[in-house]
Amino acid sequence: MLLNLRKGSIEDELSRFFEVLHDQPLAEMVTPSAFFQARKKLNPRALLGRNRPLLEGFQRHFSVRAR
């Protein structure tokens, strides 16, 4: 969910995420505040490591335009 480009409110994204993950709405159990508190505990290096393959795949398929 963190790597997904958000298209709505945190509540909406949490709802969609748990519906897909568990095939039922569970977001009532996860408040936006709880989500942000948990996110603050993540190690930034872990996110960089997860993001690197996405960026490399993007760069392989799309050329970067010079300004």
Side-chain angles (χ1 to χ4, degrees):
M1 185 184 140
L2 290 174
L3 298 176
N4 189 17
L5 296 174
R6 250 186 26 221
K7 296 163 194 71
S9 69
I10 289 293
E11 292 94 337
D12 291 341
E13 286 294 316
L14 286 170
S15 258
R16 279 191 223 95
F17 177 77
F18 283 109
E19 283 176 19
V20 168
L21 188 65
H22 295 288
D23 207 21
Q24 59 183 316
L26 295 175
E28 292 81 26
M29 297 157 77
V30 180
T31 65
S33 177
F35 172 78
F36 287 122
Q37 289 175 34
R39 187 179 68 175
K40 284 176 27 179
K41 295 177 185 179
L42 290 174
N43 182 336
R45 286 187 174 174
L47 293 177
L48 288 173
R50 297 295 301 162
N51 200 34
R52 183 170 291 118
L54 295 173
L55 291 174
E56 290 171 353
F58 180 85
Q59 290 170 343
R60 275 194 306 274
H61 291 93
F62 300 97
S63 61
V64 178
R65 295 183 192 171
R67 289 184 182 199

